[in-house]
Amino acid sequence: MRPAERPRTALFVCHYLPHVVGGAEIIAHRIVQFLRDAGWRVETVVLPGPRPAPADATHHWNLPGRMNPASLLAMQLAVYAGGVIIDQTAARAVLPALRGRDFDIVVAHDTVSGGAASILARTLGIPWACCVYEPLPRALPNAPGPKGWIGGMLPRHATRAMRRLLPRAPLRIAASADTGRRLDAFAPGPPTVVAYNSAPVPETPPPPGEGLLFVGRLSTEKGFDLLCEAYQGLASPPPLNIAALDGPLAGLARDVSRQHPSVRLLPRTTPEAMPSLYARHAMVVAPSAWPDPLPGAVLEARAFQRALLVSDQGGIPEIVQGYRPLRVVPMPAPREQVVQGLRLALSQASEWARRQPDPKEEALFRQRPAPQAHASAGIPALERAI
């Protein structure tokens, strides 16, 4: 029995750095934060990654030495192959520090962390939960990694591994209803709980700033190449600021910023500093070309009542329903059609972006990403699993 005076304790397993900006990192940061806000004690296990573990990680295990290309490829191959070797090795490395400790549940940051989380939970004799914000199964074949024959074989193996793993999770927490539907179709199992990612919700949104803002991974999945192509065709392009995150299209971002004085690359910032970033802009552009589960940039932009230019993929319609300063570009569609739609929306932004949000719709919306709403969905589900 748990002593009445002892708070619930969760072991949070992740591959990312919770204090660095990036979609996955911000989600990890907020999962930990909402548990702590609910009075839980949280210890973190950071698994191997291309960057050192953060100083505030409770336990971590990284591949020895620097992550040179060979060791990074080895890690990718292990993850693609179902992660069994890397999961077991990581679990064995951190278990000595965990034995004899009182934990109530292991929480996996995402499906990639699920293997190690399930091993730790089984060894410690406690339940585990898996947070899901990937649009399965598409997220697995489209993940960055080796190409060609190996690049085709390994994602398929990883897909099979996820189909075996996810039905065994006593609790699955999906980031959006769309993600939950995809998860239930991909790997039927226990009922899926939907808990929208929490976001800062100001009591009174500040007046709009100026210019456009793109926040997110610089990749084709996020539609960054489509945005650049549309922007470069504008006769009088408005100022565009790009939050400098990682991604395969980082070179494109640098090229566009050199060619257009109106484009500026912003330095990295922390999750706590993101509100001031939204406050300085008038519009957020998020033309995701894949089933984006619940993009934080769109969620937070609406919380700050910034105009939005988005696609209709994944969980985005759940965020923007009823929003007035909005333009939606349908996808999938031929590339030329999408680029023309984005360009037209950008050229007319001064008109539709001035629409005022409906106060009733915004009052309803602001209840969804509020941290207390996240806790009200997630905490009872964790308690039931325990």
Side-chain angles (χ1 to χ4, degrees):
M1 293 293 290
R2 176 174 68 104
E5 66 275 8
R6 182 175 74 78
R8 289 291 193 193
T9 303
L11 188 64
F12 182 69
V13 182
C14 65
H15 280 79
Y16 300 96
L17 311 186
H19 64 292
V20 176
V21 167
E25 290 92 333
I26 290 177
I27 292 171
H29 173 87
R30 290 192 177 141
I31 291 172
V32 171
Q33 194 58 51
F34 102 79
L35 286 170
R36 287 175 175 160
D37 288 345
W40 286 46
R41 189 168 63 86
V42 182
E43 296 191 18
T44 59
V45 173
V46 179
L47 300 178
R51 290 170 288 190
D56 59 351
T58 317
H59 315 281
H60 68 273
W61 178 78
N62 275 309
L63 294 177
R66 295 185 57 140
M67 289 297 291
N68 56 46
S71 59
L72 182 57
L73 175 61
M75 187 189 77
Q76 287 179 326
L77 290 174
V79 170
Y80 268 114
V84 176
I85 297 173
I86 213 165
D87 289 340
Q88 291 179 343
T89 305
R92 281 198 299 268
V94 299
L95 267 172
L98 304 178
R99 291 189 185 279
R101 309 281 297 282
D102 288 324
F103 295 101
D104 296 297
I105 194 168
V106 180
V107 180
H109 170 216
D110 57 7
T111 55
V112 178
S113 310
S118 67
I119 293 171
L120 289 170
R122 186 169 64 248
T123 306
L124 296 172
I126 57 176
W128 68 286
C130 188
C131 300
V132 181
Y133 52 87
E134 302 103 322
L136 297 167
R138 182 174 174 181
L140 296 168
N142 281 10
K147 305 301 180 184
W149 179 79
I150 292 179
M153 177 189 69
L154 293 174
R156 287 194 292 273
H157 189 89
T159 300
R160 290 195 295 271
M162 286 296 106
R163 285 191 195 277
R164 292 193 300 270
L165 174 70
L166 288 171
R168 299 202 300 267
L171 172 62
R172 292 121 51 107
I173 303 176
S176 65
D178 179 79
T179 303
R181 286 191 295 268
R182 292 174 183 275
L183 170 61
D184 290 338
F186 171 74
T192 300
V193 174
V194 175
Y196 287 104
N197 300 326
S198 63
V201 181
E203 282 190 33
T204 304
E210 297 182 354
L212 314 176
L213 174 66
F214 176 90
V215 179
R217 182 170 167 79
L218 303 175
S219 66
T220 55
E221 288 84 6
K222 291 293 186 179
F224 183 70
D225 55 326
L226 300 170
L227 171 61
C228 289
E229 188 174 340
Y231 184 86
Q232 290 177 298
L234 292 172
S236 301
L240 169 63
N241 287 337
I242 301 169
L245 305 180
D246 296 331
L249 299 183
L252 174 61
R254 290 190 293 270
D255 291 343
V256 173
S257 67
R258 282 193 295 263
Q259 296 166 11
H260 297 270
S262 54
V263 176
R264 192 160 61 104
L265 301 183
L266 303 179
R268 281 187 176 273
T269 185
T270 62
E272 292 82 6
M274 292 301 290
S276 64
L277 187 62
Y278 292 109
R280 297 198 304 268
H281 294 85
M283 182 189 307
V284 172
V285 186
S288 292
W290 74 321
D292 218 331
L294 200 79
V298 180
L299 193 70
E300 296 181 9
R302 182 169 182 180
F304 278 79
Q305 295 188 5
R306 294 308 181 246
L308 278 166
L309 173 55
V310 299
S311 71
D312 58 356
Q313 294 295 288
I316 294 177
E318 298 174 46
I319 305 174
V320 301
Q321 181 179 6
Y323 197 48
R324 296 181 62 189
L326 168 75
R327 183 65 66 89
V328 178
V329 176
M331 294 189 197
R335 183 182 183 89
E336 183 178 351
Q337 180 178 328
V338 172
V339 170
Q340 288 179 350
L342 288 171
R343 190 173 294 149
L344 178 63
L346 289 170
S347 66
Q348 299 174 344
S350 59
E351 303 168 19
W352 58 265
R354 285 199 297 266
R355 299 171 188 160
Q356 292 299 308
D358 182 291
K360 291 183 179 179
E361 289 284 354
E362 297 318 294
L364 291 172
F365 164 78
R366 288 158 68 84
Q367 297 172 12
R368 284 186 279 167
Q372 58 267 32
H374 190 120
S376 68
I379 294 296
L382 290 171
E383 291 282 0
R384 289 194 297 271
I386 295 171

